[in-house]
Amino acid sequence: MTLHREGRVILIGLLLVLVAVNSLVCWLTSCSSLWCGLTIGASLILFYLVAQFFRVPKRVITTGENTIVCPADGKVVVIEKVHEPEYFDREMMQISVFMSPLNVHVNFNPIAGIVKYFKYHPGLYLVAWHPKSSTENERTTVVVEDNKGREIL
């Protein structure tokens, strides 16, 4: 398992902050105190959880001609018809996947094919359960065409 490159910078910064906090707590309370041990334990747990967020596990994905793979770890929370205004400008099925902090936060293409459209949308960082998070948050739109000419957004 590797870590996402952006996660490495965050983890190094977090490690430096945790070392400074732990050093200060242990220095102020003497290294044999309960507070020093609790602070070190809490720091290790926090560092582990943040590292889990940025992990990129090695995966073997089975593909086939009619196979669609879920593009993200998590839980499917919504399947509904919506109007897609950006590329197709028509009603389509939307499948929303919620990723908790413990899920791998790496997205994959759901089908093999040629990328026909790609657009980055800068935006907000609303919590995932906010009703406008899928349209107001930072995101990327990708349309992939499979070998039969079908396009999937």
Side-chain angles (χ1 to χ4, degrees):
M1 178 180 70
T2 60
L3 295 174
H4 192 277
R5 61 183 156 85
E6 291 181 15
R8 292 179 191 145
V9 174
I10 291 171
L11 285 170
I12 290 170
L14 177 62
L15 182 64
L16 293 174
V17 168
L18 291 176
V19 166
V21 167
N22 282 291
S23 298
L24 181 64
V25 168
C26 289
W27 179 71
L28 290 174
T29 63
S30 81
C31 287
S32 62
S33 78
L34 177 64
W35 288 108
C36 184
L38 289 174
T39 305
I40 291 171
S43 295
L44 290 172
I45 291 169
L46 176 64
F47 188 82
Y48 175 77
L49 291 173
V50 173
Q52 288 297 303
F53 184 85
F54 291 108
R55 71 191 185 279
V56 182
K58 293 185 184 199
R59 298 211 171 149
V60 177
I61 298 173
T62 305
T63 60
E65 190 170 317
N66 292 315
T67 302
I68 298 176
V69 178
C70 186
D73 286 356
K75 179 180 179 183
V76 174
V77 290
V78 174
I79 300 175
E80 65 184 351
K81 285 187 178 182
V82 296
H83 181 265
E84 191 288 309
E86 184 179 341
Y87 184 81
F88 292 103
D89 195 26
R90 63 182 162 99
E91 195 172 83
M92 302 185 78
M93 290 300 293
Q94 172 181 309
I95 301 171
S96 298
V97 179
F98 172 76
M99 294 185 290
S100 81
L102 300 177
N103 290 121
V104 174
H105 277 63
V106 175
N107 291 304
F108 303 94
N109 281 337
I111 64 170
I114 298 168
V115 175
K116 300 297 276 188
Y117 178 78
F118 179 92
K119 184 175 181 186
Y120 167 74
H121 304 275
L124 304 174
Y125 296 95
L126 301 171
V127 291
W129 54 84
H130 190 282
K132 295 193 178 229
S133 64
S134 62
T135 56
E136 301 295 322
N137 278 357
E138 177 184 47
R139 66 195 185 286
T140 301
T141 302
V142 180
V143 176
V144 179
E145 181 182 296
D146 70 4
N147 61 358
K148 292 185 178 180
R150 298 175 293 196
E151 294 178 324
I152 294 181
L153 176 66

